[in-house]
Amino acid sequence: DVVVNERKTLLSSLYVMFILTISTSALLYFVERDYNDGFNSLLDSMWWSIITLSTVGYGDVVPHTYLGKILGSIAAISGFGMFALPA
């Protein structure tokens, strides 16, 4: 019953998470592509974005530039907020 009653909230959170994933992966791709082999394509960047936003943080791909680290920090903090939003 709770999932049915809160479906709009859950779907809006999923939508915002999708937008965050697309935007952070695109930003990091354009910032890091010339300096980091882990960001060779948008799909590689999307892998990093999903792992960072979900707060798993494997550490297999990390940003190397200062701007990339700042954007990565913002993405990680946004991930915390996105998990708190539906709760």
Side-chain angles (χ1 to χ4, degrees):
D1 287 338
V2 174
V3 173
V4 172
N5 290 336
E6 296 297 323
R7 70 182 177 276
K8 289 182 182 180
T9 305
L10 293 171
L11 286 174
S12 65
S13 297
L14 184 64
Y15 177 73
V16 171
M17 193 66 146
F18 177 74
I19 296 299
L20 276 173
T21 301
I22 298 297
S23 60
T24 56
S25 62
L27 283 171
L28 257 294
Y29 171 72
F30 289 116
V31 169
E32 293 282 326
R33 66 180 171 183
D34 295 331
Y35 306 103
N36 193 340
D37 291 336
F39 294 92
N40 290 326
S41 69
L42 282 172
L43 291 177
D44 290 338
S45 298
M46 194 169 290
W47 165 255
W48 173 87
S49 180
I50 291 169
I51 296 304
T52 301
L53 288 171
S54 66
T55 68
V56 173
Y58 289 133
D60 56 344
V61 179
V62 294
H64 292 306
T65 64
Y66 289 115
L67 181 58
K69 290 178 183 182
I70 290 169
L71 290 172
S73 299
I74 292 169
I77 292 168
S78 298
F80 291 136
M82 284 311 301
F83 280 110
L85 187 65

